[in-house]
């Protein structure tokens, strides 16, 4: 769970409090239920956004961006679209000969390994060209150490 903060005018704050009381929920529970109901109203490719959540959700930011970009690129924010543009222009992120149109085409392990450097690269250089994969240090596991000791190449 994450904490968020939001601004409400006093009347809406009181309304939220009343809803929580009348529904015997917490204010968080009321907000979560409202988000769920709104997500059920949004149509995304013949299913509700709520029903698509399992297809779009991933624990890693890089994978979430890839899933959303491949499914509904127009919904990317400006910064996300710039990152995705570089991902599309970088052959090393894709399986050779692929159409670059599905998660199966993406070399997700490579994207995950380079995610932080990729974001920094786009912040500094924009989305004009491919990401220089060869210049990024690789993180590997020391196979002699049973618990996966990290070492840089």
């Amino acid at each position: 769970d994450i904490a968020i903060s939001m601004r409400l005018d006093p009347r809406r704050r009181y309304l939220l409090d009343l809803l929580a009381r009348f529904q015997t929920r917490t204010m968080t529970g009321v907000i979560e239920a409202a988000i769920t109901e709104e997500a059920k109203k949004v149509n995304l490719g013949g299913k509700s956004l709520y029903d698509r959540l399992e297809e779009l959700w991933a624990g890693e930011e890089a994978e979430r961006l890839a899933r959303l970009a491949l499914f509904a690129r127009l919904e990317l924010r400006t910064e996300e679209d710039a990152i995705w543009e570089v991902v599309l222009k970088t052959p090393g992120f894709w399986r050779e000969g692929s159409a670059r149109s599905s998660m199966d085409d993406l070399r997700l392990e490579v994207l995950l390994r380079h995610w932080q450097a990729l974001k920094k690269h786009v912040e500094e250089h924009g989305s004009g060209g491919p990401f220089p994969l060869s210049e990024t240090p690789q993180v590997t596991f020391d196979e002699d150490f049973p618990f996966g000791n990290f070492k840089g190449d």
Side-chain angles (χ1 to χ4, degrees), residues 43-59:
N43 182 356
L44 187 59
K47 287 185 177 180
S48 74
L49 181 57
Y50 180 80
D51 291 335
R52 292 268 184 216
L53 183 58
E54 290 306 311
E55 296 169 58
L56 298 172
W57 169 251

Side-chain angles (χ1 to χ4, degrees), residues 86-87 89-90 93 114 117-119 121-122 129-134 136:
V86 173
V87 169
K89 291 176 182 176
T90 306
F93 288 136
H114 296 282
L118 171 63
K119 289 192 332 181
H121 172 82
V122 172
F131 177 67
L133 283 175
S134 60
T136 305

